[in-house]
Amino acid sequence: MRVCTIGTGYVGLVTGACLAHIGHDVICVDNNPEKVAMMKSGQSPIYEPGLADIMRSAMATNRLQFTTDLAAGVEHGEVLFIAVGTPPLPNGSSDTQYVEAVAKGIGKHLNGDYKVIVNKSTVPIGSGDWVKMLVLDGVAERQQQPSLVGAGERRPAEPAFDPKFDVVSNPEFLREGSAIYDTLNPDRIVLGSNNQQAIDLMLELYKPIIDRQHGEHADLPPVSVLTTDLGSAEMIKYAANAFLATKISFINEIANICERVGADVTQVSKGIGLDSRIGNKFLNAGIGWGGSCFPKDLAALIHTGADYGYDARLLKAAVSVNQQQRTLVIQKLQNSLKILKGKTIGLLGLTFKPDTDDLRDAPALDIIQILIELGAKVKAYDPIVSSESLPHPYLANVNLVDSPQTLATDSDAIVLMTEWSEFQDINYQHLAKLMRSAIVVDCRNFLSPAMLTAAGFQHIGIGC
């Protein structure tokens, strides 16, 4: 099938590359010429394991192209994915200006062929009908405006035609760092539409994935497909992220109680995770959640509730617990070092999770801000973050070093912020000898307390 993805962030680029990988003919559109040039050279503008390899393989078979030409993408695609960003506004609502621009742009370039326009961006509930209206607005603008032909000659406005399209909500459930796997091995596919023709076209598009032709577990039953109305599909995305974020805040709340009563939250998590009604995922106590999705989606859902007269108190509590969890690290450092002014603190990891270069709402940023305000000197080491990729003003005062050994040298404490797998292979006995005081605050309960103690460290975990 012929596919166009508009926007080449995590969602758009991964979706386009994976659809090309399974055999479709894909054009990815982005309005950033430098980014498009990079992708045409076979380089991924984002760090996502396996993505560049899939891109280059699909490009070699001419199934994946990149362009800044929206008209060419719309002309090409039977299915048009809108996958642009919807960043949060200060009031918690989503900034939908990019979705609006794309929807109108699609309308300006529609031809007479039937198209399915897919909302892949995380958009406010009710956006399906809104996007349809914007596409029709784009069609009307094109028909009303005459265009220039040659030197000043004007061509009459286009005659009216009946655009043939439907809007589908197809929320994404990708995890940064595992986006390729999640695309080819999804838990479920959600399709929101009231039009069977549109649903049938989407089922044809996803058939190789539904049948697990490119998945790691071909012997499993077909992927579950849930078809709903537009609004329910949009709500599923928000509700899923809100539940997962609340689950993390819940176990962090339990961890804080565990510390006070002498229980070990890692054992508690195992015990409650064995309950099939609860499950063991997202029950790792730590520094809390960050990234681009959970904070934005909870804020948007809380804002939506308020728009309709509902106070989402549970969701607000999840946000509050998460923010409080970040300051807990400072308390633990103060308990061990007392005054932080003049102390050197080394942060092991900066990104909000491993296997990504994403620093959006990373807990490390808040910790850095507080430490600097308290007069501490901050050093940091992250396997993927370079000095050129530091977008946050507080990171201007951070000494970004090139190894864990340099991080440890003359530091008063190390704080593990991100659970990169390579951090388990560090020689911690050597690190302890390089430090002024051998203290590790493990904000992810990722390292073995027994190993750290044997290496000469004072180990401080979360909830244990």
Side-chain angles (χ1 to χ4, degrees):
M1 295 177 64
R2 300 186 310 280
V3 180
C4 171
T5 65
I6 305 163
T8 56
Y10 275 98
V11 176
L13 183 54
V14 170
T15 298
C18 287
L19 288 175
H21 174 72
I22 66 174
H24 298 301
D25 186 3
V26 181
I27 291 180
C28 294
V29 179
D30 200 284
N31 63 0
N32 185 327
E34 291 79 14
K35 190 176 182 182
V36 169
M38 175 186 291
M39 293 184 291
K40 282 183 174 181
S41 72
Q43 300 179 64
S44 171
I46 56 176
Y47 179 82
E48 182 64 37
L51 179 56
D53 292 337
I54 281 185
M55 286 171 56
R56 287 190 286 266
S57 175
M59 291 168 68
T61 56
N62 295 318
R63 291 198 302 268
L64 181 62
Q65 304 175 57
F66 301 96
T67 183
T68 58
D69 188 349
L70 178 59
V74 174
E75 175 71 23
H76 169 84
E78 301 168 78
V79 179
L80 311 175
F81 284 94
I82 300 177
V84 293
T86 53
L89 293 170
N91 67 355
S93 63
S94 298
D95 184 351
T96 56
Q97 62 173 312
Y98 307 111
V99 175
E100 179 177 355
V102 169
K104 285 187 175 180
I106 290 173
K108 291 177 181 179
H109 299 298
L110 281 179
N111 52 29
D113 298 333
Y114 177 73
K115 309 278 186 182
V116 173
I117 300 171
V118 184
N119 267 341
K120 201 70 172 172
S121 301
T122 302
V123 290
I125 298 152
S127 292
D129 293 333
W130 176 69
V131 165
K132 181 177 182 179
M133 177 191 73
L134 292 171
V135 173
L136 292 174
D137 286 347
V139 172
E141 288 179 18
R142 181 181 71 182
Q143 292 173 345
Q144 292 167 4
Q145 295 176 358
S147 57
L148 292 176
V149 180
E153 181 184 352
R154 299 182 71 81
R155 182 173 58 199
E158 295 185 19
F161 76 100
D162 183 22
K164 301 173 184 176
F165 73 92
D166 284 296
V167 176
V168 170
S169 175
N170 175 215
E172 55 84 18
F173 304 100
L174 306 181
R175 298 167 297 169
E176 291 184 28
S178 309
I180 303 298
Y181 178 88
D182 291 344
T183 302
L184 301 177
N185 304 270
D187 294 320
R188 75 288 203 197
I189 293 173
V190 176
L191 303 172
S193 176
N194 296 321
N195 183 278
Q196 191 58 47
Q197 182 180 3
I199 294 294
D200 289 344
L201 202 63
M202 294 301 294
L203 291 173
E204 182 183 350
L205 178 77
Y206 282 130
K207 189 176 189 306
I209 292 176
I210 294 169
D211 293 342
R212 302 189 185 274
Q213 296 173 21
H214 300 270
E216 291 193 10
H217 307 285
D219 56 328
L220 291 177
V223 174
S224 296
V225 178
L226 175 64
T227 59
T228 73
D229 59 90
L230 279 165
S232 296
E234 292 161 351
M235 177 60 91
I236 286 168
K237 167 65 175 177
Y238 283 108
N241 277 352
F243 181 82
L244 295 175
T246 302
K247 195 172 181 182
I248 295 171
S249 288
F250 169 81
I251 199 61
N252 281 332
E253 190 104 277
I254 296 300
N256 295 335
I257 299 174
C258 282
E259 286 192 6
R260 288 159 173 78
V261 301
D264 183 341
V265 74
T266 61
Q267 298 300 316
V268 173
S269 295
K270 289 178 183 177
I272 65 176
L274 291 171
D275 188 325
S276 61
R277 298 168 300 174
I278 298 173
N280 60 7
K281 294 181 179 179
F282 288 82
L283 281 180
N284 297 318
I287 193 70
W289 37 265
S292 63
C293 291
F294 285 1
K296 176 173 71 71
D297 290 355
L298 261 75
L301 195 51
I302 290 168
H303 186 271
T304 297
D307 280 347
Y308 290 86
Y310 182 75
D311 183 14
R313 290 175 290 175
L314 178 62
L315 301 184
K316 288 180 178 179
V319 173
S320 177
V321 169
N322 192 65
Q323 198 60 36
Q324 172 186 302
Q325 202 68 12
R326 300 186 180 191
T327 63
L328 191 65
V329 180
I330 303 299
Q331 296 171 19
K332 291 178 178 292
L333 286 170
Q334 289 173 328
N335 288 341
S336 294
L337 297 172
K338 307 308 178 188
I339 304 299
L340 296 184
K341 189 177 184 68
K343 299 294 197 302
T344 299
I345 309 299
L347 302 186
L348 201 54
L350 287 171
T351 56
F352 86 94
K353 63 177 290 187
D355 296 320
T356 180
D357 59 354
D358 198 344
L359 287 165
R360 286 176 291 182
D361 202 44
L365 299 181
D366 284 349
I367 302 306
I368 288 168
Q369 176 184 348
I370 298 170
L371 287 172
I372 290 174
E373 288 174 351
L374 291 173
K377 179 181 178 182
V378 182
K379 303 163 71 175
Y381 168 73
D382 189 282
I384 197 65
V385 176
S386 65
S387 57
E388 291 79 19
S389 62
L390 300 180
H392 196 278
Y394 290 105
L395 293 176
N397 299 314
V398 174
N399 179 17
L400 190 65
V401 299
D402 60 1
S403 71
Q405 292 72 33
T406 307
L407 182 78
T409 301
D410 296 328
S411 288
D412 295 286
I414 286 177
V415 182
L416 188 143
M417 299 295 303
T418 313
E419 62 273 38
W420 287 93
S421 60
E422 65 184 67
F423 291 167
Q424 291 189 325
D425 300 327
I426 295 172
N427 183 341
Y428 284 95
Q429 188 171 11
H430 176 58
L431 247 58
K433 296 176 182 178
L434 299 173
M435 299 178 66
R436 281 201 287 258
S437 54
I439 298 171
V440 167
V441 180
D442 184 354
C443 292
R444 303 291 183 180
N445 290 339
F446 182 62
L447 303 173
S448 164
M451 177 274 294
L452 288 171
T453 301
F457 276 98
Q458 176 190 347
H459 168 263
I460 303 170
I462 302 293
C464 54

